[in-house]
Amino acid sequence: MDVSEFRKRGKEMIDFIADYYESLDNVSPVSQVQPGYLYKLMPREAPETPESFEDIRKDIETKIMPGMTHWQSGRFFGWYPSNSSFPAMLGDMVSSMFNIVGFNWICSPAATELETVVMDWLGKLIGLDERFMAIKDDGTEGKGGGVIQGSASEAHIVAMIAARERVLERLQAQGKSDEDIDTIRSKLVAYFSDQTHSAGQKATNIIGCKARTIQSDKQFRLTKGALMTAVEEDRRSGLVPFFVCATFGTTNTAAIDDILGIAGATESEDLWLHIDAAYAGAALVCPEFRPLAHGIERADSFNFNPHKWMLTNFDCSALWVADSSHLVKALSIEREYLPRVKGSTSFAKDYRNWQLPLGRRFRALKLWFVMRMYGASGIRAHIRGHVEQAKWLEEQLVADGRFEIMTPVVFGLVVFRIKPSLLPAHVNGCQDAANNANAKLVELINGDGRVFLVGTKLKGVDALRPAIGSSHGSSAHTALLFKVVGEYTAAVISGHS
């Protein structure tokens, strides 16, 4: 493909993408294929000779499209949103044009410096404290800074590595021998609630420390009291607590942990505090949500995903640390072929030392496009619109009278179930039967094909958890969701499902 054909095919692909988005309402949001469907349609080996663009595009439509779940559909309410936007796509196109491997400043100075700039922009946009900024308001270099990771799972691992480095540095400063430190490594403990994302457990598996899961309270929150009890127990057992994850907007219910209380506990116990705000962190662009996050200014690291709810195509996970020295020391490995820039490091950061891989894409471009083309006001309107739709859905479910709202609706997540008292007599009073009824409701809704959502289990209780947040959704889609839920709830209650 030469430049001339690329120009032609590129324009065709833009039309193809635009047509796709315009027609999303005409297809079911979830794929109905069976496992292995694609293998049966594909050749057993790669082609020996070139194939035409027309053939490839035809295969996208006939083979790939049937196996796609349409996360960008306004009728997709599963898990949490995976926002896309046309400005972000344009940014990704430019990134693909350059196709750099930006592991340090000299690889492409603009890539490193733009990331430093946009991460400070984004930090200020969500109200982060100045200690997380790479450049202070007076123009001098800060101790902290932001970096774009691939996912919140990667951010969790990186933060935990930095936390481990800090505690080991302090042990060395106390005169501990290498043998003592090796022994202590096996005794390090990280703390999570039973509502923390699985990324926490995965991070402990990867770095080789212990994980302590703490029971959440009735509001599904990790509390200071429960944390302190666990830490004290482990210290008495000879273990070494070092890391705590508090969540701002859990996956199951969008609950907010007792961040302020936990911050006090981690300070008194000298533990690293990581805030996982992967989903709900985007809401902090709206000042009215910031009181809910009191205490994050005292954290050691903070993470949220613009690729979830802030109009930025996957992948783009924003991680800030208050002191980058621990992270850089833990992940820095020097080689002759990786030259460092001499002089000021304010804008010449080696972001390879802020992440797990060496190479990195120019992801700052799409974030830059989004923040410039939407502006702060446009991003806030995006968030507020979804919150309004979620509040509307909550009101409709309550007014309907057949549903129980399981947790307060704060962001775009609505968690509910059928009231057990309305189920058939043989079901009422039996938790397993009530759970089966709500699981059946999820199955019927998704089998219908008009909307897609997922269920969850809250301390043994089955519930539905539609997440409103598609950048291509509208109030009409939320109204359709309520209509479909109502129709199949009638069938479940009547026992004719």
Side-chain angles (χ1 to χ4, degrees):
M1 180 179 286
D2 58 18
V3 170
S4 177
E5 186 179 3
F6 173 73
R7 191 186 305 275
K8 177 178 184 294
R9 301 309 188 185
K11 291 176 180 177
E12 290 176 10
M13 285 309 298
I14 290 293
D15 285 339
F16 179 76
I17 293 168
D19 290 344
Y20 169 78
Y21 277 91
E22 286 184 335
S23 64
L24 271 175
D25 277 353
N26 299 328
V27 295
S28 173
V30 66
S31 172
Q32 302 294 334
V33 301
Q34 296 300 311
Y37 92 97
L38 189 58
Y39 182 80
K40 299 173 184 176
L41 300 176
M42 289 292 187
R44 294 298 168 261
E45 296 179 355
E48 179 66 30
T49 57
E51 296 184 352
S52 70
F53 176 83
E54 288 82 359
D55 286 344
I56 296 170
R57 177 168 169 175
K58 180 181 178 181
D59 280 350
I60 291 174
E61 295 173 345
T62 61
K63 298 177 181 178
I64 302 301
M65 199 66 78
M68 294 305 300
T69 291
H70 302 286
W71 285 67
Q72 305 313 315
S73 170
R75 297 187 285 143
F76 180 92
F77 299 95
W79 300 291
Y80 274 137
S82 175
N83 277 181
S84 72
S85 71
F86 300 125
M89 291 183 203
L90 295 175
D92 259 345
M93 289 172 63
V94 178
S95 177
S96 294
M97 176 185 75
F98 291 124
N99 196 35
I100 66 164
V101 184
F103 49 81
N104 65 8
W105 184 83
I106 198 62
C107 290
S108 276
T112 295
E113 297 197 14
L114 184 63
E115 185 156 342
T116 301
V117 169
V118 298
M119 287 301 289
D120 274 5
W121 278 12
L122 185 57
K124 292 174 183 177
L125 184 61
I126 64 173
L128 284 186
D129 191 81
E130 188 184 38
R131 60 197 287 267
F132 290 103
M133 300 299 116
I135 308 298
K136 298 179 181 178
D137 288 340
D138 62 7
T140 60
E141 184 177 9
K143 293 177 66 177
V147 59
I148 299 175
Q149 304 283 338
S151 68
S153 296
E154 291 176 37
H156 221 131
I157 297 166
V158 167
M160 195 175 290
I161 290 171
R164 182 182 64 184
E165 182 65 28
R166 186 177 74 174
V167 72
L168 296 181
E169 286 174 5
R170 291 175 180 176
L171 290 170
Q172 288 174 333
Q174 294 169 12
K176 298 288 186 182
S177 68
D178 290 344
E179 292 78 9
D180 289 338
I181 290 175
D182 285 342
T183 299
I184 291 171
R185 281 176 181 268
S186 66
K187 297 181 178 181
L188 293 175
V189 187
Y191 297 86
F192 314 96
S193 87
D194 54 9
Q195 300 298 307
T196 304
H197 191 275
S198 59
Q201 179 69 61
K202 181 176 286 189
T204 63
N205 292 346
I206 290 171
I207 77 163
C209 70
K210 299 181 184 300
R212 175 76 182 262
T213 300
I214 301 169
Q215 189 77 9
S216 57
D217 67 7
K218 293 181 180 180
Q219 286 77 47
F220 308 102
R221 307 177 310 147
L222 174 62
T223 64
K224 175 183 178 180
L227 172 64
M228 288 299 295
T229 297
V231 169
E232 291 165 1
E233 287 176 356
D234 286 344
R235 288 200 192 280
R236 287 194 297 269
S237 298
L239 299 177
V240 182
F242 82 110
F243 179 93
V244 177
C245 176
T247 306
F248 182 76
T250 60
T251 303
N252 257 355
T253 66
I256 301 169
D257 288 341
D258 176 21
I259 294 174
L260 192 60
I262 292 170
T266 54
E267 287 172 351
S268 67
E269 295 292 324
D270 198 17
L271 309 177
W272 184 286
L273 175 57
H274 176 67
I275 306 296
D276 176 8
Y279 160 65
L284 296 177
V285 302
C286 303
E288 62 266 28
F289 291 107
R290 292 179 191 166
L292 300 174
H294 280 163
I296 65 171
E297 70 280 356
R298 296 159 66 181
D300 296 289
S301 52
F302 179 91
N303 167 242
F304 93 95
N305 292 343
H307 66 232
K308 272 191 169 66
W309 199 17
M310 212 193 86
L311 298 159
T312 308
N313 290 41
F314 188 86
D315 57 351
C316 184
S317 183
L319 171 68
W320 289 266
V321 289
D323 184 347
S324 64
S325 64
H326 310 295
L327 182 58
V328 171
K329 184 176 180 181
L331 295 177
S332 178
I333 297 177
E334 302 304 325
R335 291 290 186 270
E336 296 78 7
Y337 47 80
L338 299 174
R340 298 190 65 184
V341 177
K342 296 180 180 179
S344 172
T345 59
S346 296
F347 287 99
K349 299 185 184 302
D350 279 352
Y351 280 125
R352 65 186 173 88
N353 298 328
W354 294 53
Q355 63 173 23
L356 298 177
L358 173 69
R360 57 201 329 270
R361 295 180 298 285
F362 196 175
R363 289 175 290 209
L365 271 172
K366 58 186 169 188
L367 195 54
W368 189 51
F369 269 62
V370 166
M371 286 194 281
R372 292 187 67 185
M373 296 189 74
Y374 281 95
S377 61
I379 297 171
R380 292 188 186 110
H382 168 75
I383 297 294
R384 287 169 178 154
H386 292 143
V387 174
E388 289 174 5
Q389 289 178 44
K391 294 284 189 182
W392 177 87
L393 178 59
E394 177 190 32
E395 291 170 359
Q396 300 307 305
L397 291 168
V398 170
D400 180 282
R402 294 177 291 176
F403 304 101
E404 175 186 356
I405 305 298
M406 302 296 289
T407 59
V409 176
V410 179
F411 305 113
L413 185 70
V414 184
V415 185
F416 66 95
R417 67 169 179 164
I418 302 171
K419 287 181 178 178
S421 61
L422 297 181
L423 294 168
H426 69 282
V427 171
N428 191 23
C430 174
Q431 185 62 62
D432 287 344
N435 283 345
N436 291 339
N438 283 281
K440 184 63 176 179
L441 178 57
V442 173
E443 180 185 337
L444 291 170
I445 290 169
N446 291 338
D448 174 272
R450 282 177 288 173
V451 298
F452 176 75
L453 52 75
V454 296
T456 190
K457 193 176 287 287
L458 307 177
K459 297 185 184 295
V461 177
D462 275 51
L464 293 77
R465 56 170 304 285
I468 297 167
S470 170
S471 47
H472 305 279
S474 68
S475 56
H477 294 113
T478 305
L480 175 63
L481 169 65
F482 176 65
K483 180 177 183 290
V484 174
V485 168
E487 291 174 4
Y488 285 103
T489 296
V492 171
I493 289 176
S494 69
H496 297 309
S497 60

